[in-house]
Amino acid sequence: MLTLTANAAQAIRDLTAAAPEPSQSGIRISSQGEGASSLTLSLATAPEPADEVVESEGARVYLDPVAATVLEDKSLDAGADDQGSVSFLVTEQSA
């Protein structure tokens, strides 16, 4: 199952804090085709019926079935650049 770093959890909480329903809001990672190169990330107010939900430190990530399979053994990290723009990075899970 996808894991979240502390940085990713904080970034997701920050992104969803202003959402209309922050208690259910999260980010959704969905597939636009086959494989990891076609995954997209968007804000979501709730999971879709088939989504797998990953919750960590109050942050929620909704994964569609293809994304859940592709990211099963991965970790999601986040960072910000000098202008404060957040970027997410998928890495291998550390043991």
Side-chain angles (χ1 to χ4, degrees), residues 4-34:
L4 305 180
T5 66
N7 287 342
Q10 182 63 53
I12 294 166
R13 286 194 307 271
D14 291 347
L15 287 171
T16 59
E21 292 290 331
S23 63
Q24 289 298 309
S25 294
I27 61 168
R28 183 165 195 267
I29 302 175
S30 56
S31 60
Q32 301 301 312
E34 296 297 321

Side-chain angles (χ1 to χ4, degrees), residues 27-44 51 61-64 66-68 70-71 76 88 90:
I27 61 168
R28 183 165 195 267
I29 302 175
S30 56
S31 60
Q32 301 301 312
E34 296 297 321
S37 64
S38 63
L39 296 177
T40 61
L41 186 144
S42 59
L43 289 173
D51 284 355
V61 178
Y62 307 127
L63 302 169
D64 80 1
V66 172
V70 170
L71 300 174
L76 186 66
F88 289 94
V90 175

Side-chain angles (χ1 to χ4, degrees), residues 3 5 70-76 89-95:
T3 60
T5 66
V70 170
L71 300 174
E72 182 176 20
D73 60 347
K74 305 291 189 239
S75 183
L76 186 66
L89 176 67
V90 175
T91 61
E92 297 295 323
Q93 287 181 4
S94 54

